[in-house]
């Protein structure tokens, strides 16, 4: 067995205060005599787990670097070490280096997650709505009359407005981008084989005889009914309906629901999301049927 050199200096006693960071640079009373933390005294002003983890990773890096410096200092005096001690210190140098690299990688992941969260928050803010400050006039917002020829001499009823919308919409079902209350859509799910094979308990019980004209009715029809179809199919049909009725959809958002759009191109994003089979979360707060979607039974949230 190798003998320790007679000139071996006094053993180096590690300074544990280098392994713990304190704001005042002294050992906290919360630590016991052996340097361990009393768990009852732990408290964090910041409850963000990412921030806590990142700070702890930095503390670990500082501790590993101190350990690494200690090992290298000992290795710089090989005449004071036995071969076994030298080998142990060399392995410890590698171990500390690996741990430092691991902590650095964890910090990079945390920082990347924080940047992604900030980017997602900015995107969500772009889709947010502000309550409109202007109230609708008591007589209502004028509707674009387009090629409507008949002159109104009395207050229009709902049936009159429906007739007016029929005359406004193109008969070839090409859709409209005019910002008006009523649109036009013939439900294709009501004529699908899935619906016809659904039996007596299907909803609606009979195919729609009349086209869907009001955007609220379109939302309720596809998000609350036709549960024989998958949620993706219902969202896709609703997206196609709103794509053909972009103007009425914008009217419903800005005037009926009194929402102010920072950018009207957001509407195209909603429609694209629906056509991909996904319901935009913002619609859940604006429509009762959307808040309960998806549902397996009409009117009941799954």
């Amino acid at each position: 067995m190798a003998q320790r050199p007679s000139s071996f200096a006094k053993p180096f006693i590690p300074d544990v205060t280098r392994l713990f960071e304190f704001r005042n640079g002294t050992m906290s009373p919360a630590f016991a005599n052996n340097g361990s933390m009393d768990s009852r005294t732990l408290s964090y002003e910041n409850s963000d787990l990412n921030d806590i983890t990142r700070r702890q990773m930095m503390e670990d890096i500082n501790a590993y670097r101190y350990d690494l410096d200690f090992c290298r200092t000992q290795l710089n005096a090989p005449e004071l070490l036995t071969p076994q001690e030298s080998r142990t210190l060399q392995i410890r140098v590698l171990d500390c280096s690996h741990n430092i690299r691991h902590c650095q990688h964890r910090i990079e992941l945390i920082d990347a997650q924080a940047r992604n969260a900030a980017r997602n928050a900015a995107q969500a803010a772009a889709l947010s709505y502000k309550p409109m400050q202007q109230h609708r006039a008591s007589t209502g917002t004028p509707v674009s009359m387009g090629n409507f020829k008949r002159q109104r001499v009395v207050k229009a009823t709902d049936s009159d407005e429906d007739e007016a919308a029929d005359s406004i919409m193109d008969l070839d079902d090409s859709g409209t981008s005019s910002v008006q209350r009523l649109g036009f859509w013939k439900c294709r799910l009501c004529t699908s084989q899935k619906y016809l094979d659904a039996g007596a308990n299907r909803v609606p019980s009979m195919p729609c005889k009349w086209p869907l004209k009001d955007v609220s009715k379109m939302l309720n029809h596809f998000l609350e009914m036709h549960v024989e179809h998958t949620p993706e199919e219902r969202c896709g049909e609703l997206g196609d309906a709103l794509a053909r009725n972009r103007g009425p959809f914008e009217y419903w958002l800005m005037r009926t629901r009194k929402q102010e759009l920072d950018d009207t191109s957001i509407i195209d994003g909603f429609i694209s999301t629906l056509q991909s089979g996904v319901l935009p979360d913002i619609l859940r707060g604006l429509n009762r049927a959307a808040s309960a979607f998806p549902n397996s039974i009409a009117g009941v949230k799954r």
Side-chain angles (χ1 to χ4, degrees):
M1 172 183 262
Q3 298 295 325
R4 184 183 302 272
S6 59
S7 60
F8 186 74
K10 182 179 179 181
F12 179 86
I13 301 177
D15 183 6
V16 295
T17 60
R18 295 285 303 276
L19 303 178
F20 302 91
E21 290 187 356
F22 304 103
R23 296 179 180 178
N24 57 5
T26 61
M27 180 71 76
S28 170
F31 284 80
N33 293 331
N34 60 357
S36 61
M37 172 67 80
D38 184 355
S39 60
R40 294 172 298 179
T41 63
L42 290 174
S43 63
Y44 296 101
E45 296 180 359
N46 189 349
S47 61
D48 190 318
L49 295 181
N50 284 338
D51 289 346
I52 294 174
T53 303
R54 193 184 192 284
R55 178 182 57 78
Q56 292 175 345
M57 288 289 104
M58 291 299 300
E59 293 176 356
D60 289 343
I61 289 176
N62 292 334
Y64 285 130
R65 284 176 175 168
Y66 173 70
D67 196 347
L68 189 62
D69 291 341
F70 166 74
C71 294
R72 287 173 173 170
T73 300
Q74 300 301 310
L75 290 172
N76 286 336
E79 68 279 0
L80 301 180
L81 301 174
T82 65
Q84 182 179 358
E85 289 173 336
S86 297
R87 183 61 176 169
T88 300
L89 290 171
Q90 291 169 353
I91 294 175
R92 183 56 183 165
V93 167
L94 293 176
D95 186 46
C96 290
S97 300
H98 288 308
N99 289 331
I100 290 174
R101 187 191 69 253
H102 172 72
C103 292
Q104 290 174 338
H105 289 175
R106 286 289 305 277
I107 291 174
E108 289 178 359
L109 290 176
I110 292 173
D111 292 344
Q113 291 173 352
R115 289 192 296 269
N116 290 337
R119 186 184 305 110
N120 293 337
Q123 293 175 349
L127 297 177
S128 64
Y129 295 91
K130 300 177 182 179
M132 295 184 65
Q133 301 298 325
Q134 298 179 348
H135 298 281
R136 295 180 62 187
S138 59
T139 56
T141 303
V143 177
S144 175
M145 300 306 293
N147 296 326
F148 181 53
K149 298 179 179 179
R150 184 167 56 177
Q151 182 70 29
R152 296 292 184 187
V153 293
V154 294
K155 183 178 180 181
T157 63
D158 290 340
S159 61
D160 292 334
E161 291 181 358
D162 290 348
E163 293 175 1
D166 288 342
S167 62
I168 294 171
M169 297 300 299
D170 294 335
L171 296 180
D172 61 356
D173 192 24
S174 60
T176 179
S177 59
S178 176
V179 181
Q180 59 191 42
R181 189 177 74 85
L182 298 179
F184 185 95
W185 182 256
K186 293 181 180 179
C187 177
R188 297 176 297 192
L189 301 186
C190 285
T191 58
S192 66
Q193 194 62 40
K194 275 189 178 182
Y195 173 76
L196 298 177
D197 295 340
N201 294 327
R202 64 191 183 188
V203 180
S205 58
M206 296 295 294
C208 293
K209 294 182 179 180
W210 309 107
L212 299 170
K213 299 177 181 180
D214 188 274
V215 171
S216 294
K217 293 181 180 179
M218 294 182 190
L219 292 168
N220 294 336
H221 186 82
F222 294 116
L223 299 181
E224 188 173 39
M225 303 182 184
H226 285 299
V227 293
E228 74 281 350
H229 285 75
T230 65
E232 291 77 13
E233 292 172 333
R234 293 154 64 189
C235 285
E237 179 70 5
L238 176 59
D240 291 343
L242 296 179
R244 289 294 186 92
N245 294 273
R246 189 188 185 285
F249 185 33
E250 180 177 343
Y251 183 99
W252 180 80
L253 285 170
M254 299 185 65
R255 301 182 186 178
T256 303
R257 303 307 300 172
K258 296 183 179 179
Q259 304 296 317
E260 184 177 2
L261 302 181
D262 296 334
D263 184 1
T264 57
S265 64
I266 295 175
I267 297 176
D268 297 325
F270 292 158
I271 293 174
S272 298
T273 301
L274 284 167
Q275 289 177 324
S276 67
V278 179
L279 178 67
D281 290 337
I282 194 67
L283 293 182
R284 296 185 183 275
L286 301 178
N287 179 265
R288 176 187 56 81
S291 65
F293 183 84
N295 55 312
S296 58
I297 301 177
V300 179
K301 186 174 183 180
R302 179 160 56 186

